[in-house]
Amino acid sequence: MSPLRLGLLGLGTVGQGVISILGEHSGLLEERAGRPLTLTRVASRSAKPEVDLLGASFGTDPAALVQADDVDVVVECIGGEQPCLDLLTAALGRSKSVVTANKALIATHGDALHQLASSSGAGLAYEAAVAGGIPILKAITEGLVANRIEWLAGIINGTSNYILTAMAEQGQDFSSALATAQELGYAEADPTFDVEGIDAAHKLAILAGLAFGRCFDFAGVATEGISGIAPIDIEYAARLGYVIKHLGIARFADGAVETSVHPALVPEGAPLAQIKGVTNAVQVGADALGSTLYTGPGAGMLPTASAVLADVVDLARGAPPPRRLAAAAAPMAADDRETPFYLRLQAQDRPGVFARITTLLSNAEINIDAALQQEHDASTPGTTVPIVLLTRPTTRPQLQSALEQLEGLADQVDDVQVLRVESLKP
Ligand code: HSE
C-alpha cells in the first residue's frame, strides 16, 4: 500500500517524541498500520539541527506545510489556540486529516472542527489532548461503546497533583511545591493554567463531550483551582480519613451534563486517592461495566507521542473517526449537586464560639457529621484556633446561606475554607 505521508507542525517536546517513536518503531508501525508511515515535512519556528528529521524536509512556514501536496495527515504539536485553529481549519478544508495534541483548541473549537472534518471527509483525532499517553478517549468511545456512561472523575493535571502530593508527603507549602514542579518541567508555560484548573477544564470538556455525546463546552466547566489549599487542610483531611485531590468531574443526570474542576476531599481508600505525583487517572462509571480506572503518564515526550501515533495508525488503517457529536444539553449548575462539605474556620478561642457556629449551621438545616478542634497550643501566638467540620450532604446554595450568617460572627470567626467531599461512587 502507498505510504501515509505525515507533516509535523512543531518541534517541541511532543513533536520530537513523535519523530523519535517514528524512527525507533518504523517497522512495527508499518506492520500495524498496514502501510509505511513517512514523515515528509516538518515545520517549526526554528530549526533544531540536533534532531534527525528522518529524511523529511524542514521549513519555518506552517501554512506551507498544510497546503503541501506531499502531506496526507497534518500532525499538530504546537499547542495553543492560534495559529493552530487557522492551520487545522485550512488542513481539514483541503480534506487532509488532522491529528492534534491540542487540548485548548479542541475544548474550545472542537465542534466546529468536527463539522468541518465530517463535511470534508477528513479524519480528526486528538487522543493526546487528554491525559497524555493514557488511551482514555479510545476507552470511552470504543471500549465502553455498549455502555451509557453515567459519570467520570479524573486527576487530569499532573502539575496540580504533583503539588498536592508534595504538600501531603513532604510537608511543602503550595508555592515551593509549584516552584519544584516548574523546575521539573511539568507545568504549562503559564502555570496558572495548571493550578487554577484551566488545563484540567480543557481536558474535562473533551472527556464530557465524548462520554455523553454532547458539545465540547469548555466555557460551561465550573472551575476552581488549588492555590487556596493550605497545608493545614491537607493535615485535617488526613486526620478525617481523606486526601485532597484536584478533580475534574462530569456527570450526566436528567438529560443534562454537569462539569466541574475543583479541589475535593476524597476517601483515602478510593482508587483516585492512590494517584501520586504527576500521574494522571480517570475513573469512569458506566451502566453495564460498572467503574473502571485508567491511569498512567499524563504528559511527557514519549507518552504523549505514543497517543499521537496511535491516532496516526488509526488513520493509516482507514478506521473511521469514531466520534460524532450531538446537540448540546444544557449544563446543570454544579451548585445543584448535594455532597458533604469540609469547612475549616479560624475561630476565637473563647467560650460559646463553637456553639454559635453549630447553631448557625443547624438554622440552615445543615447536619454536622464530624468535628475537630485542636487543643490550643500555648506556644502558638494569637488567640484563634482552627475548627474543622464535615457536613452531611447538602447543596452549595444551602451552605452559602449558612456561610453568609457566619459573616455576622466576623469578630469571632474568619478565614473560612470550603471544600467538597467526593465519595466517587455512582
Ligand atoms: N501541564 C500539564 C499537566 C501537561 O501538568 O498535566 C499535560 O497536559
Side-chain angles (χ1 to χ4, degrees):
M1 277 184 79
S2 59
L4 186 72
R5 298 167 303 174
L6 310 177
L8 175 65
L9 294 175
L11 258 187
T13 306
V14 180
Q16 289 185 44
V18 168
I19 293 178
S20 168
I21 299 180
L22 269 178
E24 183 79 13
H25 288 323
S26 66
L28 180 148
L29 287 166
E30 177 174 345
E31 192 184 315
R32 291 178 181 172
R35 57 199 287 202
L37 305 179
T38 307
L39 186 65
T40 51
R41 288 179 184 253
V42 175
S44 171
R45 260 191 309 223
S46 54
K48 292 217 165 88
E50 71 279 15
V51 180
D52 174 1
L53 299 185
L54 312 174
S57 64
F58 178 82
T60 53
D61 181 2
L65 181 149
V66 164
Q67 301 296 334
D69 288 335
D70 60 356
V71 169
D72 303 313
V73 176
V74 174
V75 179
E76 187 265 302
C77 299
I78 298 176
E81 273 186 64
Q82 286 294 11
C84 296
L85 177 61
D86 291 345
L87 291 167
L88 300 191
T89 300
L92 293 169
R94 283 179 61 94
S95 300
K96 289 178 194 286
S97 291
V98 163
V99 173
T100 176
N102 193 327
K103 53 218 163 179
L105 183 73
I106 297 297
T108 317
H109 303 284
D111 297 318
L113 291 170
H114 262 292
Q115 272 176 9
L116 195 52
S118 82
S119 58
S120 72
L124 171 64
Y126 38 85
E127 181 66 69
V130 180
I134 306 171
I136 184 63
L137 303 189
K138 212 174 241 296
I140 284 174
T141 56
E142 296 179 26
L144 299 177
V145 73
N147 291 253
R148 184 176 292 283
I149 295 178
E150 292 160 342
W151 59 276
L152 59 86
I155 292 172
I156 45 181
N157 181 268
T159 300
S160 60
N161 200 50
Y162 175 86
I163 291 170
L164 291 173
T165 307
M167 288 173 77
E169 295 190 346
Q170 292 151 33
Q172 287 194 40
D173 64 17
F174 173 81
S175 308
S176 61
L178 171 59
T180 315
Q182 285 177 291
E183 277 161 29
L184 293 170
Y186 299 144
E188 297 291 304
D190 176 354
T192 58
F193 272 50
D194 297 297
V195 299
E196 298 307 338
I198 299 159
D199 177 77
H202 285 142
K203 295 165 181 168
L204 187 71
I206 299 171
L207 284 170
L210 295 178
F212 307 126
R214 296 299 194 272
C215 288
F216 295 145
D217 184 15
F218 166 65
V221 181
T223 304
E224 196 187 323
I226 58 163
S227 53
I229 301 295
I232 193 175
D233 295 314
I234 292 179
E235 193 186 313
Y236 273 108
R239 284 212 234 159
L240 291 161
Y242 294 88
V243 290
I244 296 181
K245 291 291 181 192
H246 199 195
L247 300 177
I249 296 190
R251 274 172 211 274
F252 189 72
D254 303 326
V257 177
E258 169 207 329
T259 48
S260 67
V261 169
H262 55 270
L265 277 73
V266 174
E268 62 192 4
L272 286 179
Q274 320 309 320
I275 307 302
K276 308 271 176 79
V278 283
T279 303
N280 279 203
V282 181
Q283 189 175 1
V284 182
D287 63 352
L289 180 61
S291 166
T292 46
L293 183 75
Y294 308 83
T295 183
M301 177 187 270
L302 296 179
T304 310
S306 158
V308 168
L309 284 164
D311 282 342
V312 169
V313 169
D314 267 354
L315 290 169
R317 288 169 170 162
R323 23 233 187 222
R324 188 61 222 123
L325 303 174
M332 181 168 76
D335 281 353
D336 288 355
R337 193 159 55 91
E338 277 199 350
T339 64
F341 281 86
Y342 160 100
L343 304 180
R344 175 184 44 85
L345 322 130
Q346 201 64 26
Q348 286 292 326
D349 187 16
R350 57 177 199 251
V353 175
F354 197 106
R356 277 181 212 112
I357 295 167
T358 54
T359 302
L360 286 184
L361 291 172
S362 115
N363 290 348
E365 300 281 321
I366 292 169
N367 201 352
I368 295 169
D369 205 27
L372 283 178
Q373 182 186 330
Q374 200 166 344
E375 162 181 274
H376 194 163
D377 179 352
S379 65
T380 310
T383 54
T384 65
V385 285
I387 290 177
V388 169
L389 303 170
L390 278 190
T391 74
R392 288 286 173 120
T394 184
T395 61
R396 199 176 266 275
Q398 190 169 359
L399 186 68
Q400 194 56 38
S401 74
L403 294 177
E404 277 158 19
Q405 291 182 51
L406 266 180
E407 284 170 14
L409 296 182
D411 59 327
Q412 295 161 53
V413 174
D414 64 8
D415 191 20
V416 182
Q417 172 74 287
V418 180
L419 297 170
R420 277 193 192 270
V421 179
E422 299 284 359
S423 67
L424 300 174
K425 289 189 188 134

